[in-house]
Amino acid sequence: MVSERMLGLGTARSVIRELFEYGKQRAAEVGAENVFDFSIGNPSVPPPPQVDEEAVRLLQTENSTLLHGYTSAQGDAGVRQAIADNLNRRFGCRYTGDELYLTVGAAAALCCCFHGLACPGDEFVVSAPYFPEYKVFIEGSGAAMRLIQPDPDTLQLDPAALAAAVSPRTKGVVVNSPNNPSGVIYTLDTLKAAAAVLEEKSREYGHPIYLISDEPYREIVFEGYSVPWLPGLYRDTIVCYSFSKSLSLPGERIGYVLVPTQAADSGQVYAAVAGAGRSLGYVNAPSLFQRVAARCCGLTSDTSIYERNAGLLVSSLRELGYTCVQPQGAFYLFLKTLEADDLAFSERAKEFNLLLVPGSGFGAPGWVRLAFCVQTEMIQRAIPKFKELAQSYREGGAD
Ligand code: PLP
């Protein structure tokens, strides 16, 4: 006998991973150059050179017993202070390392938050389209996920929908901007309106409603856009961050939770986040990359290729008659499907070796996601395939 829930999670692969695996299999059949894999959000640019240099320097010069040893459960104190100092310089705050808890990427940061905060009957509100693992993480903590719909044209979070969904059971609201899967950045007005809703509801229900800001894409922002610093807009914000995308280090598993002292019951929340890390067995974030992150947290990979890819995809796809949302950051494009059933559309796209993730898994049927963290040249070669795909609908209609 094993846990039904874990068995289900272990056997039902995520749609994204499934497509990614299919892509590898298909590449073996028809050649990698003939498969146009837009499935997975693996950064396609290398980390800044300082990352490898710093790792090598640490490996060559530091005491290896210490370097590879356990750190404090919440992360090395010097590393946490270095990250806090970087945040202070950028956002004009006065955090200390004691407000940071280092984690195995944003995934662990989110899990620690949900597990640390959730009491029986609690709910977390999430706006579509959303990163599908939220549901797994939230339900894993014993809480329920409450999904709200965005503004249908802009895919911005809809403050009115938020107000309607928040109830006395709401422990928190998750926001992710720049957004995976839409590439949308929530505007200052949207976020201010959301903050006003949460302030009012927290007062009405007599308990804090935490805003959990999931920000792995904070630094991947295209020209003309900016990402507001949420703790500056809403007191009870907890930040979940990852170096996976900004420094192109997804395999190294390094990120953090920031619980600012300004947040309600911050001492308890921080301790509960640490307790969750303990109960989940995370112990401490990878030691070598804690040190690398401390020295490289002010850097970003060269993300200009993502902006170039976004421009190329948007102009080419619109020219072919597709409708899409202009990406403002991250490396995802959300495309309207040419038939109502996005799963069927994704299957049809596979016939042209285009791997596009159905929107249903993101809570957004009728869309597909393209991860454009790929070589620009692959996009150029994929455009004729998108043309054929569109043509197949004009000729045959949807099956
Ligand atoms: N949150 C979002 C929105 C993501 O897109 C991802 C990864 O793709 C994560 C969290 C998890 O990131 P990490 O690799 O740091 O665990």
Side-chain angles (χ1 to χ4, degrees):
M1 243 340 219
V2 294
S3 150
E4 286 272 321
R5 184 169 178 272
M6 295 305 154
L7 181 63
L9 286 172
T11 46
R13 242 209 214 119
S14 90
V15 187
I16 299 171
R17 291 254 158 214
E18 206 152 79
L19 261 183
F20 181 59
E21 294 302 328
Y22 169 83
K24 287 199 274 191
Q25 178 200 322
R26 193 76 186 124
E29 289 161 11
V30 299
E33 69 286 3
N34 296 315
V35 178
F36 308 98
D37 186 353
F38 293 97
S39 66
I40 205 161
N42 228 347
S44 57
V45 294
Q50 291 93 327
V51 166
D52 288 349
E53 284 161 17
E54 193 53 38
V56 169
R57 190 193 67 76
L58 286 163
L59 288 166
Q60 286 177 341
T61 60
E62 296 286 309
N63 174 318
S64 62
T65 313
L66 288 177
L67 185 61
H68 298 300
Y70 290 123
T71 65
S72 304
Q74 66 271 38
D76 177 81
V79 170
R80 286 183 287 119
Q81 191 55 50
I83 295 173
D85 290 344
N86 177 262
L87 292 174
N88 295 340
R89 276 194 297 278
R90 291 162 65 200
F91 303 114
C93 321
R94 288 201 303 207
Y95 301 124
T96 71
D98 292 342
E99 291 157 277
L100 286 162
Y101 180 86
L102 304 188
T103 59
V104 180
L110 290 160
C111 285
C112 286
C113 284
F114 298 137
H115 280 259
L117 290 172
C119 300
D122 277 351
E123 289 181 354
F124 290 90
V125 176
V126 169
S127 178
Y130 68 98
F131 178 56
E133 296 302 278
Y134 289 161
K135 191 167 157 57
V136 178
F137 299 163
I138 289 171
E139 291 180 354
S141 76
M145 186 179 98
R146 176 116 191 217
L147 190 63
I148 58 172
Q149 292 307 311
D151 179 293
D153 299 319
T154 61
L155 300 184
Q156 292 277 318
L157 178 134
D158 177 0
L162 179 65
V166 169
S167 77
R169 301 158 84 97
T170 308
K171 180 54 71 66
V173 175
V174 185
V175 291
N176 168 226
S177 164
N179 183 265
N180 174 10
S182 70
V184 163
I185 294 176
Y186 294 161
T187 64
L188 186 59
D189 285 350
T190 297
L191 292 169
K192 279 184 174 166
V197 167
L198 297 187
E199 269 158 24
E200 193 194 314
K201 296 284 180 183
S202 297
R203 254 196 315 274
E204 185 183 337
Y205 301 139
H207 64 80
I209 298 173
Y210 293 98
L211 191 59
I212 297 166
S213 181
D214 177 28
E215 333 195 314
Y217 303 96
R218 161 164 287 282
E219 288 81 13
I220 307 178
V221 178
F222 302 153
E223 209 186 323
Y225 297 94
S226 59
V227 181
W229 179 240
L230 274 171
L233 293 179
Y234 183 65
R235 187 195 65 170
D236 297 333
T237 299
I238 300 171
V239 175
C240 293
Y241 184 81
S242 169
F243 295 98
S244 292
K245 317 288 171 160
S246 60
L247 288 179
S248 305
L249 293 176
E252 304 300 351
R253 316 305 301 130
I254 186 80
Y256 60 77
V257 183
L258 169 72
V259 184
T261 46
Q262 69 177 15
D265 307 320
S266 61
Q268 282 206 344
V269 172
Y270 186 93
V273 165
R278 181 179 171 195
S279 115
L280 293 164
Y282 294 153
V283 189
N284 67 233
S287 175
L288 173 61
F289 273 84
Q290 286 191 36
R291 267 91 175 185
V292 172
R295 287 162 183 85
C296 297
C297 58
L299 305 170
T300 307
S301 303
D302 176 9
T303 57
S304 59
I305 187 172
Y306 301 139
E307 186 152 12
R308 198 164 67 232
N309 287 354
L312 174 63
L313 267 173
V314 168
S315 59
S316 309
L317 292 175
R318 284 186 178 156
E319 214 166 282
L320 293 174
Y322 288 95
T323 304
C324 60
V325 181
Q326 177 75 42
Q328 299 156 13
F331 36 58
Y332 304 106
L333 176 94
F334 228 36
L335 185 77
K336 276 229 160 95
T337 55
L338 299 178
E339 61 180 298
D341 183 345
D342 50 290
L343 296 157
F345 180 76
S346 170
E347 280 304 310
R348 170 87 71 107
K350 271 165 135 181
E351 291 169 23
F352 300 89
N353 291 322
L354 291 167
L355 308 190
L356 318 176
V357 184
S360 293
F362 303 105
W367 298 83
V368 283
R369 185 193 80 170
L370 283 73
F372 54 76
C373 38
V374 297
Q375 299 307 313
T376 308
E377 163 276 327
M378 187 198 97
I379 299 178
Q380 282 158 344
R381 286 187 293 107
I383 299 304
K385 297 291 165 190
F386 280 102
K387 188 171 181 185
E388 289 174 35
L389 175 62
Q391 248 158 12
S392 81
Y393 279 92
R394 276 195 288 275
E395 283 158 13
D399 305 320

